Amino acid sequence: MCEMTPAAEQWSLYSAAQNLPAVLNDPNRGKQSNFFIKTWGDTFVEKSQIEKSPFLPEITYSHFDNYIRKIGKRYKRHIRLTQNKLDTNHVKARNKADLVNGEISVESIPDFFLKQNFPLNDPVVFSQVFRGTDRNQDHVLQEELSHYLDIVEVQIAKQVSQKSGAFFHAMTSHDTIMEQMGVAYNEVKSLRSKVQKVDKTLAKDSLKLIGLARSKTNHVKLVDKLKLMSTVLQTQPTLQLLLSSSDYVAALELISSTQEVLSKELAGVTSLRHLPSQLKEMSKLIDKMLSNEFERYAAADLHRPLDANGGVLEQERLISLVAGLLRQNHLQFLETYKQEAVTAAQTLLKQLLIEHLADVEDDMEHCLTGSGEVAPTMDAAHWLKVLALASDALGKLVQRVKAVHNVIKETADTSAGLRSTTSLRDTENFLTLEDHNRVEVKLKDLLISICDYCHERLASLVSTQSDKQTITATQVTELSTIVDNFTELCEKICGRQSAALRAAFKIQAGNYVNKFHSQRKNKLTMLLDAERWKVADVPQEIQILVDKLALGNTIRSLPSSPSNENSDEKKPSPALKIGAQDYTTVGTVLILIQLVCEYCVCAHNLQLLAPIVGRNLTELLRTFNSRSCQLVLGAGALKTAGLKTITTTNLALTSRSLQMVLWMIPHIRAHFNALTSDPLNGFDAIERDIGHHIQQLETKVLSIMNSLLGDQLNEWDAKPPVPSKAFRNVSRHLTKLHEAVSPVLPEEQVTDIYEVIHKNLKSRLREQLIKMNIQNNGGPQHGVVTTEIIFYLETMKTLKVLPEKYLSDKAMDDIWMR
C-alpha cells in the first residue's frame, strides 16, 4: 500500500462524495420541493443501502485459521529469542556503566547472597539464584554473578586501602604491647602470692568463728521449735477453756493459728501428724455449737414478752455468737434469724387474735391459720381495736429486730476494721471488705423482709373488713393513723416503703370514699330536685366555712352547730359575705358548700386518697352544674319542684349561685394541691362549664327581655297620648327586671345586662322608625318619638343601672341614622 503525501491528505470541496452541483443535477431525483429548507449535514442526502455483490465470496475467520496457527509458533519463538538478546545486552551495558562511573555498591547484590549461611541445596534459595531453566539465559546469569563478584572484590580492596594505616600502626606497636603484657603478668603473680598469705594467716580462723555462730543459731532455733511444739500440744486444753467462757472467736483464732503453724513451721513433725485432723473436727464442732446457740438465742429473744426490756437480750452473748459466725463466714445465721422473726410475728398475731376475738365467736380455732391470718366477722370498732393492737405488737417486734440488726452490724464493722469497740479486740479484723458488703446486704434484706411480712399480715387484717359493714369517718381516720404510723416506723427502720398495707388501706378507704361520694351525690340530687330556687338565709356555720376558704386555711374539721348563747349574734344572715360582695344563693348551694368542705376534710384525713376524693368532688360539682342547668334552663323544676314558671328571679338566683360555686373552685384546688403532688386538672373543666352556664343564664334573661320589649315596640304607634301604653309597659318590664336581679346579682353584672338591653332597644326602635317612616325633621311624629325617648331615659335614670353617657339626649341620636 502506498503512502499518501501530505498534499494528498488535505481535504477540499472536490474530495467530497456528494457536492451541491451533483445533488442539484441528479437526474434520478427530479424536482425537489423541500430542498432549500433542509439542513446541511450527513442527512442532507438520503442514504441508500448497497446490496452485496453476487460475484464476491463471503470471507470468514475460518479462512485464516490455518495461517494463524502456523505463523503463531514461529512468531512466539522469534519474540523469546529477541527478549533474551535484549536482556544480555542490558546486563553488559549496566555493568560497564557502573564500572566506568564508579557506582559500585554492595546494596545492589541481593540479600540472600550476603547471609552467613548460604544453603544452595534449599529449593527456595536455588530458585532465587537460578531464576530460569532456559539454556539461552545461562550466559546472562554467569555475567550477573561475575558482576556481583567484581563488586565484592572492589569493596574489599577499597576497605583494605582505607584501613591500611591502622594495619601498619598495629604492626609497629606489637613489641610495645608484648612488653606491657610481661610487666602485668609479674604484678598479678605478686598479688596472688600476697593474697594466699593473708588467707592463711587471717581468714581461716574468722571463718571458723562464723561457723560456730551459725551452729549456735541453729541450736536456738531447735529450742524454739521444741517450745513451739510444747505450746501446740496445749491447744486442746486452751480451746476447752475458751469455749467454756463462750469466747468463740478466740477459740477459732487459736485453731486457725495452730493449723497455720503446723502447716508451715512444724510441717513434717511425725509426733504431731494427727493434730491437724483433730483441730479440724474441733472447728466443725464449734460451727455446730455456734449455729445451735444462735438459734436458741434468736428464739429466746424474739418470743419473750413485748413489754419486757426493749434492749438487746444478753448483748455480750450475741456479740460473741455473731463474731464467731462471721469468723467462720457462716452468713446463713441471718436467714435463720429472719425465719425465727417471721415465726414470732405469726405467733404474736395468733395469740392476739385468740385473746381478743374469743368474745366475738365462741369457736375461733377454725378461723385461725398457720400464718396468723383471720377471717372472722367483726364490727368496725372491734376490728380497729384488734388492728391497733396488732400494729403495736408488730411494731415492737420490728424494733427488737432492728436492735439486734444494729448489734450485728456493729460487730461486722468491728470485725472488718471499720470501727473500734470495747466488745471485740481491735486485732480481730478477720472479715474482708467483700464479706462485709455481703453481710450488709443480708442485714438490709433482713429488715426489709421482716417489715414486708408484717405489712402483709396487717394488710390481711385490714382486708377482713367487709364492704357491707359501715365505717365512720372517724374510724377511717383512725385506720389511716394506724397505717401511717406503722408505715413510717417500718420506713424509718428499713429505709424503704412497703406497699401491701397501704394498698389494703387504700382499698378500704376507697370503699369508704365511694360510699361517702355516693351518699352526698344522691343527697345533692334530691336537694336539687326539691329546690324552688328562692333566696335562702345563711347559717353562721356556713359563713364560717366560707371565711376559712377565703383565708386559704386548710379545712381540717367542720364547725359544730351554734349554741343557744349569744343567739342574736348567731342569727342567719340574708347573704354570704365574701369581702365587699354579698352572695345571695339558694338553700342547695349552702348545703353544697357544706358538702364541699366535707370532701376537703375527708381528703385531709385520707391524704393517700386525696386525688380520688378530688375527682369525686369535681364530679359532684359537675352534677350540680348540669342538674341545675336542666332544672332552670331546661325548665325541669316545673315538674320536680312544682314551679309554675321559670322567672328572671330564678335565672338570676341560679346565676349568682353558680358564681358562688365558681368562687370556691380556686380555693378548693389550692386545698387539694397542698395535699397531693399530682395536680387535679378536673377543676379547670368545671370552671369552663360553669362559666358557660352563667353566660347561658344571662343570655336567657336578655332573650326574655328582648322578647317582651320587642312585642311592645311592635304594637307601638307614634301617636298621642304620650307616654304611650307600649312605652309604659317597657318601663314596667325594666322596673320588674331591676327588682328581680338587683338584690341578687352584683352591680357590674346588672349594668352589663341593662347595657345590652339598651342597645337592643335602640336597634329595635330604629327598625320601627324606619318601618313607620318617621324622620328627624321636627314634625309632630318626631316630637312624639322624642317625648317617648325622654320618658324611657327617665325610667333608666330612676333605676340607676346605666352610666351617664347612655342617658343623655344626644346618646339617643343614633336611632335616626339609617
Side-chain angles (χ1 to χ4, degrees):
M1 181 177 179
C2 61
E3 295 182 356
M4 297 180 61
T5 61
E9 292 179 359
Q10 295 181 356
W11 189 89
S12 65
L13 179 65
Y14 301 101
S15 301
Q18 296 287 344
N19 50 45
L20 185 60
V23 173
L24 294 176
N25 297 325
D26 186 1
N28 296 325
R29 300 292 294 176
K31 186 177 181 180
Q32 302 181 34
S33 61
N34 60 345
F35 177 79
F36 292 102
I37 62 175
K38 293 175 69 176
T39 303
W40 180 257
D42 56 351
T43 60
F44 185 81
V45 179
E46 296 180 359
K47 296 180 179 180
S48 60
Q49 185 176 2
I50 301 175
E51 297 181 357
K52 297 182 180 180
S53 174
F55 303 103
L56 298 177
E58 184 176 358
I59 305 301
T60 62
Y61 183 82
S62 59
H63 290 83
F64 301 95
D65 190 23
N66 293 331
Y67 173 78
I68 290 173
R69 283 184 294 184
K70 181 175 67 175
I71 299 300
K73 295 180 181 180
R74 297 178 182 178
Y75 179 74
K76 290 179 181 179
R77 184 169 179 271
H78 169 72
I79 292 299
R80 186 172 62 253
L81 293 176
T82 305
Q83 186 66 32
N84 291 338
K85 185 176 181 182
L86 290 175
D87 292 343
T88 303
N89 295 336
H90 175 68
V91 171
K92 289 182 178 181
R94 186 184 62 186
N95 293 340
K96 183 176 181 181
D98 291 343
L99 292 175
V100 171
N101 298 328
E103 297 178 0
I104 302 175
S105 176
V106 180
E107 294 178 355
S108 60
I109 302 175
D111 294 340
F112 58 85
F113 284 112
L114 303 179
K115 293 182 178 179
Q116 294 182 357
N117 52 345
F118 180 66
L120 195 58
N121 56 353
D122 188 352
V124 177
V125 177
F126 185 85
S127 62
Q128 290 177 345
V129 175
F130 301 98
R131 291 185 297 274
T133 58
D134 195 349
R135 290 182 179 179
N136 296 322
Q137 294 181 356
D138 291 345
H139 63 282
V140 176
L141 178 62
Q142 183 178 1
E143 291 291 336
E144 185 176 357
L145 295 177
S146 299
H147 175 66
Y148 292 157
L149 180 60
D150 294 340
I151 291 173
V152 172
E153 290 176 351
V154 170
Q155 291 295 328
I156 291 174
K158 185 176 181 180
Q159 288 292 328
V160 171
S161 63
Q162 290 177 353
K163 302 297 182 179
S164 59
F167 292 155
F168 289 118
H169 177 72
M171 293 299 295
T172 54
S173 61
H174 178 267
D175 295 338
T176 304
I177 292 172
M178 292 300 295
E179 182 179 354
Q180 292 175 354
M181 289 181 63
V183 174
Y185 170 75
N186 293 330
E187 291 180 354
V188 170
K189 184 176 180 181
S190 174
L191 179 60
R192 286 181 175 179
S193 175
K194 292 179 181 179
V195 170
Q196 290 175 358
K197 291 180 181 179
V198 171
D199 180 54
K200 183 177 181 181
T201 57
L202 299 177
K204 288 185 178 181
D205 294 338
S206 300
L207 290 175
K208 186 180 290 184
L209 291 175
I210 294 174
L212 294 175
R214 177 64 60 84
S215 177
K216 179 181 178 181
T217 302
N218 292 337
H219 283 85
V220 171
K221 290 182 179 180
L222 178 60
V223 172
D224 292 339
K225 290 287 184 182
L226 294 174
K227 290 180 179 180
L228 186 59
M229 291 173 63
S230 176
T231 303
V232 167
L233 292 175
Q234 296 297 321
T235 299
Q236 291 183 345
T238 306
L239 285 175
Q240 294 176 0
L241 181 62
L242 293 173
L243 293 177
S244 63
S245 60
S246 299
D247 195 351
Y248 299 103
V249 175
L252 293 172
E253 288 287 348
L254 179 59
I255 292 175
S256 177
S257 60
T258 304
Q259 288 176 336
E260 184 178 1
V261 168
L262 289 173
S263 63
K264 293 182 179 179
E265 298 183 25
L266 298 179
V269 179
T270 306
S271 60
L272 301 177
R273 63 182 181 276
H274 299 297
L275 189 56
S277 59
Q278 294 174 359
L279 293 175
K280 188 175 181 180
E281 292 298 326
M282 185 65 71
S283 179
K284 293 180 180 180
L285 178 62
I286 293 175
D287 287 346
K288 190 173 182 180
M289 289 175 60
L290 285 170
S291 299
N292 294 335
E293 284 293 323
F294 185 80
E295 290 178 3
R296 286 194 291 270
Y297 174 85
D301 178 57
L302 293 171
H303 292 280
R304 61 190 171 118
L306 293 176
D307 55 357
N309 184 15
V312 180
L313 179 66
E314 299 180 13
Q315 183 172 349
E316 292 297 332
R317 179 188 174 195
L318 174 62
I319 293 174
S320 179
L321 290 172
V322 172
L325 290 167
L326 293 177
R327 177 63 180 80
Q328 293 298 90
N329 202 16
H330 291 170
L331 304 184
Q332 190 64 28
F333 76 96
L334 295 174
E335 294 293 332
T336 303
Y337 190 79
K338 181 168 67 176
Q339 294 298 326
E340 194 64 37
V342 170
T343 304
Q346 294 175 357
T347 305
L348 274 175
L349 288 179
K350 190 172 183 179
Q351 183 179 0
L352 180 66
L353 293 172
I354 290 175
E355 292 176 355
H356 293 85
L357 298 180
D359 56 345
V360 179
E361 271 190 44
D362 295 334
D363 187 13
M364 287 297 300
E365 292 298 328
H366 69 281
C367 296
L368 300 175
T369 64
S371 60
E373 297 177 353
V374 64
T377 302
M378 296 179 290
D379 60 353
H382 206 94
W383 168 69
L384 279 175
K385 182 179 179 182
V386 172
L387 187 61
L389 293 173
S391 65
D392 181 65
L394 291 180
K396 291 180 179 179
L397 178 65
V398 171
Q399 289 176 332
R400 185 170 291 177
V401 172
K402 175 64 174 178
V404 173
H405 163 276
N406 293 339
V407 173
I408 296 175
K409 188 176 186 306
E410 181 180 350
T411 305
D413 292 344
T414 305
S415 302
L418 302 177
R419 183 185 301 184
S420 177
T421 62
T422 57
S423 302
L424 290 175
R425 295 187 298 272
D426 295 338
T427 57
E428 296 173 348
N429 299 334
F430 49 79
L431 198 64
T432 63
L433 292 179
E434 182 179 358
D435 291 336
H436 179 268
N437 292 335
R438 290 175 53 203
V439 172
E440 281 195 335
V441 172
K442 286 185 174 293
L443 284 173
K444 187 174 182 180
D445 178 67
L446 167 67
L447 291 179
I448 292 175
S449 299
I450 298 302
C451 290
D452 287 347
Y453 181 80
C454 292
H455 272 264
E456 291 171 2
R457 297 286 64 80
L458 287 179
S460 65
L461 284 177
V462 172
S463 301
T464 58
Q465 177 66 12
S466 174
D467 295 341
K468 298 179 181 179
Q469 298 175 0
T470 58
I471 182 171
T472 64
T474 304
Q475 290 172 337
V476 173
T477 304
E478 184 179 352
L479 175 61
S480 175
T481 302
I482 294 172
V483 172
D484 290 341
N485 291 339
F486 188 79
T487 303
E488 290 175 4
L489 173 64
C490 290
E491 185 178 356
K492 182 179 179 181
I493 288 176
C494 69
R496 188 178 69 90
Q497 287 187 354
S498 298
L501 182 57
R502 284 191 179 273
F505 165 72
K506 200 169 184 178
I507 293 174
Q508 292 296 334
N511 294 335
Y512 167 77
V513 169
N514 291 335
K515 291 180 181 178
F516 176 91
H517 175 59
S518 178
Q519 293 172 357
R520 283 149 183 79
K521 185 177 178 182
N522 294 335
K523 180 180 179 180
L524 179 64
T525 304
M526 293 174 61
L527 290 172
L528 284 171
D529 290 341
E531 179 62 59
R532 299 187 63 83
W533 302 100
K534 293 184 177 180
V535 178
D537 292 334
V538 180
Q540 189 64 26
E541 56 267 23
I542 301 298
Q543 183 65 52
I544 294 174
L545 290 176
V546 173
D547 293 341
K548 284 188 175 182
L549 285 174
L551 294 174
N553 297 334
T554 302
I555 301 178
R556 305 174 187 271
S557 62
L558 298 177
S560 58
S561 299
S563 61
N564 294 329
E565 300 178 359
N566 300 327
S567 58
D568 294 338
E569 298 179 0
K570 302 297 182 179
K571 288 183 178 180
S573 57
L576 280 167
K577 295 184 180 297
I578 302 176
Q581 289 195 10
D582 291 344
Y583 283 84
T584 304
T585 59
V586 297
T588 304
V589 174
L590 300 178
I591 302 299
L592 177 63
I593 294 173
Q594 185 176 3
L595 295 178
V596 167
C597 293
E598 289 178 2
Y599 277 83
C600 293
V601 173
C602 181
H604 177 266
N605 294 334
L606 302 176
Q607 296 188 16
L608 185 64
L609 298 180
I612 298 177
V613 177
R615 287 193 291 271
N616 289 342
L617 179 54
T618 58
E619 183 182 355
L620 184 76
L621 296 176
R622 189 178 293 108
T623 300
F624 173 80
N625 182 51
S626 60
R627 188 58 182 160
S628 61
C629 181
Q630 295 170 5
L631 293 173
V632 180
L633 283 177
L638 300 179
K639 293 182 179 180
T640 60
L643 297 180
K644 295 181 180 180
T645 182
I646 303 298
T647 64
T648 53
T649 303
N650 301 136
L651 295 172
L653 198 55
T654 305
S655 175
R656 193 57 171 166
S657 299
L658 290 172
Q659 291 175 22
M660 178 63 207
V661 176
L662 200 61
W663 174 87
M664 286 194 300
I665 289 178
H667 300 84
I668 299 171
R669 184 193 291 114
H671 176 87
F672 278 88
N673 288 341
L675 298 177
T676 177
S677 58
D678 297 330
L680 299 176
N681 299 323
F683 290 112
D684 298 335
I686 293 295
E687 284 183 319
R688 291 193 297 270
D689 293 343
I690 292 178
H692 181 65
H693 189 187
I694 293 173
Q695 187 63 38
Q696 286 180 324
L697 290 169
E698 186 174 323
T699 303
K700 184 65 175 179
V701 172
L702 294 173
S703 175
I704 294 173
M705 291 302 299
N706 190 33
S707 177
L708 292 174
L709 300 182
D711 292 341
Q712 296 300 324
L713 290 178
N714 290 334
E715 298 176 358
W716 171 68
D717 193 3
K719 295 178 180 180
V722 179
S724 63
K725 182 180 178 180
F727 267 84
R728 286 198 300 269
N729 289 336
V730 168
S731 177
R732 182 171 56 86
H733 288 315
L734 292 174
T735 304
K736 289 182 65 176
L737 176 64
H738 185 264
E739 293 173 354
V741 300
S742 61
V744 179
L745 298 178
E747 293 182 4
E748 296 82 2
Q749 189 174 0
V750 173
T751 300
D752 293 340
I753 291 175
Y754 273 89
E755 284 181 0
V756 176
I757 293 174
H758 179 68
K759 292 178 181 178
N760 291 337
L761 180 67
K762 289 172 63 176
S763 178
R764 294 295 297 271
L765 183 59
R766 184 185 302 111
E767 294 175 359
Q768 192 68 17
L769 292 176
I770 294 172
K771 182 179 179 181
M772 298 170 63
N773 195 21
I774 300 175
Q775 299 180 1
N776 186 10
N777 54 9
Q781 286 185 321
H782 175 265
V784 171
V785 173
T786 304
T787 306
E788 297 279 23
I789 291 174
I790 293 173
F791 174 74
Y792 164 74
L793 293 177
E794 288 298 327
T795 302
M796 284 297 190
K797 291 178 181 179
T798 304
L799 296 178
K800 299 179 180 180
V801 292
L802 288 178
E804 187 63 29
K805 63 179 182 179
Y806 292 103
L807 302 177
S808 64
D809 296 337
K810 293 183 179 180
M812 299 294 291
D813 290 345
D814 54 350
I815 64 173
W816 303 105
M817 297 178 182
R818 299 188 178 184

